[in-house]
Amino acid sequence: MGELSELVLHFSRALVAREAAEQGGIISGDNPVTFNASDPFRLWVVQLVIILAMAQGLALLFDRIRQPRVISQVIAGIFLGPSVMGRIPHFNDRIFPDAGVPGLTLTSTIGLVMFLFLVGLEIDTKAVKRHFIAASSISVAGLVVPLGMGAALGVGIYKEFINPNVNHGDFLLFTAVAIGITAFPVLCRILTELKLLETTVGSVTLAAGVGNDVVGWILLALTVALVNADSGLTALYVLLAAIGYVIFLRYPVRWVYHWLARRTGSLEQGTPTTGMMTLTLILVLASAFFTDIIGIHPIFGGFVAGLIIPHENRYAISLVEKLEDLVTIVLLPLYFALTGLRTDLGSMNTGKTWGYTFLICAVAFFAKFIPCFGAAMANGFNWRESGAVGSLMSCKGLVELIVLNIGLQANILDTRSFSMFVVHAVILTFLTTPFTLLFYPEKYRTRDKPNPDHSVEGGSVTGPSSQDETKTRFALVLDRIEQLPAAMTITHLLQPSGTSLPVVRTSSDDVSEKSFEKPPVMNGPLRISINALRLVELTSRGSAVLKSKAAESLANTDPIISVFRTFGYLNNLLVSAALSVVSQDEFPAAVSRHAAETESEMVIVPWSRGSTEAADETDTGALNPFDGIFHRTAANTSGARDPTSSVMYSEFIRNVFSTSLSNVALFVDRGISTPHNGSSTQHLFLPFIGGPDDRLALTFLIQLARNPSVQATVVRMSTTEALSRNMDKKDMIDTPSPIPIVLQTLAAGDTVYDQHDTRTRLASETADNLIWDRYVSVSASRDADTAAALSRISFKTLETSTPLHTIIEYTMKVPPTGSVREVIVVTGRSRRMAVETHTAELKELITEAGASISSSVAKTLGDVGAALVASNTRASLLILQATTDAL
């Protein structure tokens, strides 16, 4: 009978024979860590908590050096086993007694079956088809040579360490599989962590890993069948039964499953119903049960069950999301910990043992590295890319640990030889990441596909260069559905009247764009192009890996892209949409890369109010430094607070400000809800103080005013000489270069620029005067669109000793009548080349208003934006930062 079946029967008998326990528990003097066969739950919980705490603690360390979690989990088991903590008197007898191990084994086996089901879901045949020749040659080279070298190595190990009663042929087959197999699940996680999924190396290695993994499971099934069979004929029957079951699962069962998924609406909804979820779990467990009772490990049944799950419309991704946390956080670490508990480094107490251990490491690494390196070179890769492919293909981890545990349970390995192979698996997995980075650092990487073509069919979108005042190409960041209102508001204002219908395009980082419509030739002075970037966070979860692989289909079905695409079409905007699956700390770099690829002249980052919840009346403190950015009260939610992680999002915004080579516009939609008054007019207010950011704000406001529904007020603030707040030396960075630097504070990065010298200050003031006169002077020549825009703008000049207070007063006064919507304040961020500092006045204003905001707000929004937030002004904010070319 199979291993899983025996464990289930063991626990069934224990539960049937269970006696009534003492009701007092520990109050009656009961020891919770004493194993009780009739009630093993309490000790199981103690074991689970200890294993998870140890594994998670080590993960915090190993995550910093970019190691997969399997490393920390195995080492946690080694620490808890006889090698370290097992040497504490009675530790193993109390915490991990032999009688209590079957409970952990059963739980870990269930977790392993479910995890291998998720691994089967990750198998992507499209990746193999895309790079079939290169992947096939690398996969074959990475299997044939290591299998032969593993068998040769097994001869020496058998003579020195293995009991002669063990069948020699079975052991050689076992060592060949252990040396030749590549750990596909761990390989996926390493590629994700190193951000290689989008590169050619990552795609080819992943495809080669798929083929290697499938063949490896077949060899593993063959090994188990031969070990468990009494004769060669029995082994043949076992293999024939396994092949028949795979065919049965692959065709009739798959057809029925797909039919039920469509019938229940699960495929249409993109998520399994409760009934389909139940059916899936029964299918996985039944498949594992069958492969177990025919003499093959139950994990093989879980793996092949994952191969029949449909991937259409995010169904597989949704299924993984429902299972992965319980499996990977709770159940799977138990299996790796058990592997460590069975490892006894104390048994490796001779020089010969360690010599053979290092020999196993060397043979396993070079038997994989050299043939995969050669195959990659033969397929046109350079030596760096080939070295990365060879290093990645030498990865061990989960699959080899499974092989080793099967060998130990089948008595092919004893404790010493098992420990030798475990140490080799940990060492090679640990070396995979540094060797890959050594051969293939980020500066040498190439993308798997050419960069998407963001030009518009039916005539290119031509527009001014970055030095011109009118912007026509915009990169819009979309990472959450909560940002859609702000994105729609600001892009709606960009569109002047009289523009013909757009083209809508969609792309992903992994595929070239696909055109959905061909627009008519557009006639008009201004043609606006919006290149939306949908950001999806890439984590170590399996669902995130699936999302990265399915970026092409996600770009076509993502609801945020779909909504914005429709909005763009209805508002006559030229829209292209790209989807990028990257880690959260790579979001700013992805934005900068997208802006460069699309040749965008401005990056627009929307920041909307998220979902709200009622605030506790007794809690008067701020949730975070940005709690005041979004108004807490609305027409229908009194006392509502914004629970979104504003601090994290502000860090992302500041990193965009500091890394972007384009102009950046941050639109803060403060969530102010007022009754609709029937007006379609939007009023803008710009306090013009000076500097490159304010000059950009002025030109951008005039461009927005080309929209007939926009009115604006521009006030030039001149601080009186007596109370001028010129930049203090303590507020400046002593550097002669205009290039920005990032100051890392507790509140994340801040972009600070030096004020430079008198010459650059005079040049900036001259530029301020010139751009002001250009738009204010009646005699200046202008085109018709600009003249129409200026007719809707009111220009004023004002001298004041308290510019922030004056800005707030003017904001309160505009719009002048009740016939327009809420005002939007347009202002420069002015964290560089600022005309003057407002730090002292801002502190004074915060004290007067009794506000509770952090200096982080000013670092994100600038002094003017922070003052408006502190005063609780009823206005949304449009914060602009000019490119360094404008200095």
Side-chain angles (χ1 to χ4, degrees), residues 590-816:
V591 172
S592 300
R593 183 169 59 247
H594 176 75
E597 292 173 356
T598 59
E599 299 181 353
S600 299
E601 297 163 292
M602 179 176 288
V603 175
I604 300 178
V605 183
W607 193 3
S608 289
R609 180 189 185 91
S611 58
T612 58
E613 60 184 15
D616 188 352
E617 293 180 359
T618 61
D619 182 12
T620 58
L623 286 177
N624 55 59
F626 295 85
D627 198 36
I629 289 184
F630 303 102
H631 279 266
R632 298 183 185 178
T633 58
N636 57 350
T637 55
S638 177
R641 276 187 171 178
D642 176 31
T644 54
S645 53
S646 298
V647 174
M648 293 184 60
Y649 199 74
S650 69
E651 181 178 354
F652 158 66
I653 292 170
R654 265 179 288 187
N655 285 330
V656 171
F657 276 130
S658 63
T659 60
S660 178
L661 300 179
S662 305
N663 301 306
V664 180
L666 168 65
F667 179 60
V668 183
D669 184 353
R670 302 186 67 198
I672 303 171
S673 176
T674 57
H676 182 62
N677 53 27
S679 172
S680 60
T681 302
Q682 176 68 62
H683 200 92
L684 308 180
F685 170 55
L686 168 62
F688 184 84
I689 298 175
D693 292 352
D694 276 13
R695 293 195 294 271
L696 173 65
L698 177 58
T699 58
F700 191 60
L701 178 139
I702 293 170
Q703 177 173 338
L704 294 178
R706 295 189 179 193
N707 189 320
S709 65
V710 172
Q711 297 179 359
T713 300
V714 181
V715 178
R716 185 173 188 181
M717 302 285 180
S718 299
T719 306
T720 55
E721 186 66 25
L723 297 176
S724 178
R725 291 173 168 84
N726 291 325
M727 294 288 281
D728 298 326
K729 290 183 179 180
K730 64 181 180 180
D731 295 318
M732 297 190 297
I733 308 259
D734 294 330
T735 170
S737 172
I739 299 176
I741 66 171
V742 176
L743 298 181
Q744 294 295 335
T745 68
L746 291 177
D750 183 25
T751 309
V752 180
Y753 291 76
D754 189 7
Q755 201 57 28
H756 306 306
D757 51 26
T758 303
R759 182 183 63 81
T760 55
R761 175 180 286 275
L762 290 175
S764 181
E765 291 177 354
T766 302
D768 292 342
N769 294 328
L770 288 175
I771 197 170
W772 181 263
D773 293 340
R774 183 188 310 167
Y775 295 120
V776 175
S777 175
V778 179
S779 59
S781 59
R782 307 179 181 94
D783 59 75
D785 290 335
T786 303
L790 292 175
S791 68
R792 293 185 285 270
I793 303 176
S794 172
F795 290 93
K796 300 179 181 179
T797 303
L798 182 67
E799 289 189 354
T800 176
S801 61
T802 54
L804 295 185
H805 286 79
T806 306
I807 291 171
I808 293 171
E809 292 173 4
Y810 261 86
T811 304
M812 299 292 189
K813 288 190 285 186
V814 293

Side-chain angles (χ1 to χ4, degrees), residues 47 92 197 215 230 336 384 401 448 577 636 706 708 790 830:
Q47 294 170 336
N92 279 348
L197 286 175
V215 175
D230 297 329
F336 295 122
R384 286 190 175 275
L401 294 177
D448 183 26
N636 57 350
R706 295 189 179 193
L790 292 175
S830 298

